[in-house]
């Protein structure tokens, strides 16, 4: 075999292998990020049990605390809320520490520090874990930048028009609600919609399918009429 041809084949094989390794690495990083993302947390069994009220006591506590936190942020500044929370935590721990010290002095026992088990616990972040999450976040950021380029540079006219409509609607939402109000509504919906959907799943799914079909039909007609629109059927 010609040495030049052999060298070209080896270089091509190495390039193909590097491409596969890069794709595999990106897929692993993406899976790692998704496994630690908020969406994954909501889909975890513990979170599902909370929002579906499997245990009313736990769900009630979680809903009450989250709603109280958001209402506090709506009434006070975030600095005040964080300061009061940390002050309350310090009051509890200091009071408990003094109480245990008095009890040990009265009983003449030597149990040691009441928080010794927590103090001895290793709370440091492993370098490997930190790097893994940083790499996963970088993959997510790169995908977001690519999507922004796709939308704002009008690679697909229909997608860019969708974004424009959504941003236009959000201007009206922003005129009525602020960010905290939206978070409060989202928190209430998070703990109320899943139980309602679970009880009326069949009827709700029928209406969702009808709405999805209507939207897809409208978008397909719009793609056919818009000049210069990039058809997905051709690009895929």
């Amino acid at each position: 075999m010609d040495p030049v041809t052999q060298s070209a084949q080896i270089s091509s094989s190495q390039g193909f292998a590097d491409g596969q390794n890069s794709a595999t690495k990106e897929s692993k990083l993406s899976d790692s990020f998704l496994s630690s993302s908020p969406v994954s947390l909501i889909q975890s069994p513990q979170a599902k049990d909370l929002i579906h009220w499997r245990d009313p006591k736990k769900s009630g506590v979680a809903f009450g605390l989250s709603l109280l936190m958001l209402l506090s942020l709506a009434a006070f500044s975030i600095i005040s809320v964080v300061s009061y929370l940390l002050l309350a935590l310090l009051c509890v721990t200091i009071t408990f520490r003094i109480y245990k010290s008095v009890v040990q002095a009265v009983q003449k026992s030597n149990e040691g520090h009441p928080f010794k088990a927590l103090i001895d616990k290793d709370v440091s972040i492993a370098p490997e874990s930190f790097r893994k999450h940083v790499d996963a976040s970088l993959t997510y950021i790169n995908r977001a930048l690519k999507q922004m380029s796709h939308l704002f540079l009008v690679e697909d006219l229909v997608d860019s028009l969708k974004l424009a409509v959504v941003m236009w609607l959000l201007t009206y939402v922003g005129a009525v609600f602020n960010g905290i109000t939206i978070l409060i509504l989202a928190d209430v919906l998070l703990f109320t919609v899943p139980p309602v959907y679970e009880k009326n799943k069949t009827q709700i799914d029928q209406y969702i399918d009808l709405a999805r079909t209507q939207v897809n039909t409208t978008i397909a007609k719009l793609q056919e009429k818009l000049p210069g629109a990039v058809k997905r059927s051709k690009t895929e």
Side-chain angles (χ1 to χ4, degrees), residues 18 56 67 107 113 154 157 216:
D18 292 340
L67 189 60
Q107 297 178 351
H113 200 287
V154 199
L157 182 59
N216 290 337

Side-chain angles (χ1 to χ4, degrees), residues 131-201:
R131 283 193 294 268
K132 180 183 70 174
H133 289 291
V134 169
D135 292 340
S137 301
L138 183 60
T139 301
Y140 177 76
I141 292 172
N142 289 335
R143 287 188 176 184
L145 292 174
K146 185 176 181 180
Q147 186 65 20
M148 290 176 62
S149 174
H150 168 77
L151 293 171
F152 287 99
L153 298 181
V154 199
E155 183 178 350
D156 188 322
L157 182 59
V158 174
D159 287 343
S160 298
L161 288 176
K162 287 180 187 177
L163 179 63
V165 171
V166 171
M167 294 298 104
W168 178 67
L169 293 176
L170 285 178
T171 60
Y172 288 94
V173 174
V176 179
F177 305 105
N178 57 25
I180 293 297
T181 305
I182 293 176
L183 289 177
I184 292 173
L185 292 175
D187 186 57
V188 173
L189 292 175
L190 182 64
F191 281 90
T192 55
V193 170
V196 174
Y197 174 75
E198 194 174 31
K199 293 179 181 178
N200 306 278
K201 187 175 185 301

